[in-house]
Amino acid sequence: MDRATHVVLTSHANQVFKDVIPIRWGAADPADRGPVVATISDKDDRNAIGTHSGSYTVYRALSIASGAFPRDHRPDLENTNPTTPIVPRPSWSDPRAIVSLDPWGASTSTVFAEQLSSGLNIKPTIAVTQAHLEIPEVHSAIASGRLEPDGHIVTERGEIRVTKVAIEPVWYLPGIADRFGINEGDLRRILFEETGGMFPELITRPDLHVLLPPIGSSTAYVFGDLDHLADPTVELTCRVHDECNGSDVFGSDICTCRPYLTWGIEDAARTAQRGGVGLIVYFRKEGRALGEVTKFLVYNARKRQEGGDSAATYFHRTECVAGVQDARFQEFMPDVLQWFGVQRIHNLHSMSNMKYDAIVGSGIEIDNRLSLPDELIPDDAQVEIEAKKAAGYFSDDAAKDDAALRDVLGRELGR
């Protein structure tokens, strides 16, 4: 087995490892790239910082501590392969295109079969399966005639057939640092300090450049043929959605998150029905990645301020409580699109300029941007929409105004 020798300068003598399986991020051949080994059953084999399961790592630790979980468990990966073949894309071999997930994470049991059979404990970080979605808003869309069952994408019962992809974060630290325009050493130090020293290897193991951070995973839902995502001539409707538990799950009407999500699902299904493909990507970034406690504190602060909730102070109150208006930093978001091989999005459901700029900045074309139809905006969420418009977020009205202005300027210049 190909291994590299590293000499690490560290104050912890027992953390000097001579034999580490190299990871050559961006190598086109998985044999050259090497597997990501973040399991703790054999610590000397580890070539990544952190471990699997993201934010669920602590629950696993509790299960082990209570004796309910065997510490040396090795997963049996038989028949766990993706239900839909995952074809490598050119972006997989570009170390700058994908830095926050492992492109080979869904193919572990096949491309690293030799290493697995030799006893190396490698776990997949991506899983692909089939599912049905049954959503009240979809039934309403069918009842209103906006969406029709076709027996293939939308069943007669009102269910939507999808391919579902779960993705654990795997960060290539040099690439992450490059995305933010900072030094990798500074990034590692701040990650170490701001997690209370959770991962000493960030400081003591400069030879390890891959981190599995303890954060939530992402899920992609594909409507139609997954291979069509990489074909720029096939219409693609896409919604990249950041988690909002209160709205998405429980239907709170103080924001437009669930309406945006369900409208995106409806339109993605419609696009697949007419021969295109739909994509919804769901990111765990609750409360603009500030968390639900912070979000509820901001709700209280906005409603109790003099004059009540208003568009003028909508984002200001978040900054007062959290220190920043938004911590999502959409720089990583396009990685999943790159993993699918997306080159062109014909219809993007989003008002966010941050999302738009990140996608276009990654080299993906966007033809049309769509904001939420007025009739789907809850009454209590009007202040959110007005605040976003005032802050310069995209809206269909603004797009129409821009188009009209361009038309006038064109006529004037043509005289």
Side-chain angles (χ1 to χ4, degrees), residues 133-135 138-139 142 147 149 153-160:
L133 305 182
E134 186 166 3
I135 300 172
V138 169
H139 288 281
I142 293 173
L147 188 64
I153 300 297
V154 182
T155 70
E156 296 299 328
R157 295 180 52 189
E159 298 172 331
I160 300 180

Side-chain angles (χ1 to χ4, degrees), residues 185-206:
D186 291 337
L187 172 66
R188 296 169 76 106
R189 175 179 55 80
I190 294 171
L191 284 171
F192 172 75
E193 292 172 350
E194 293 302 316
T195 57
M198 183 179 292
F199 300 113
E201 295 90 345
L202 286 166
I203 304 298
T204 64
R205 297 294 304 277

Side-chain angles (χ1 to χ4, degrees), residues 383-400:
V383 65
E384 175 202 18
I385 294 297
E386 293 306 315
K388 288 182 174 180
K389 289 180 179 179
Y393 279 56
F394 168 85
S395 70
D396 290 333
D397 291 339
K400 291 174 184 176

Side-chain angles (χ1 to χ4, degrees), residues 133 135 137-138 141 146-148 150 152-154 159-163 219-226 228-229 234-241 259-282 337 345-350 370 372-373 376:
L133 305 182
I135 300 172
E137 287 87 346
V138 169
R146 295 198 311 266
L147 188 64
E148 296 182 1
D150 64 301
H152 176 54
I153 300 297
V154 182
E159 298 172 331
I160 300 180
R161 292 192 176 100
V162 296
T163 299
T219 312
Y221 297 83
V222 182
F223 305 72
D225 190 334
L226 189 146
H228 283 166
L229 290 171
V234 175
E235 183 185 12
L236 168 57
T237 292
C238 178
R239 165 71 180 166
V240 284
H241 187 90
Y260 240 129
L261 177 61
T262 56
W263 171 247
I265 290 171
E266 176 187 332
D267 205 23
R270 229 181 346 257
T271 302
Q273 285 180 321
R274 59 177 177 256
V277 61
L279 176 63
I280 304 292
V281 187
Y282 194 89
L337 305 178
I345 297 173
H346 298 77
N347 310 299
L348 177 68
H349 284 251
S350 177
L370 304 172
L372 190 66
L376 296 181

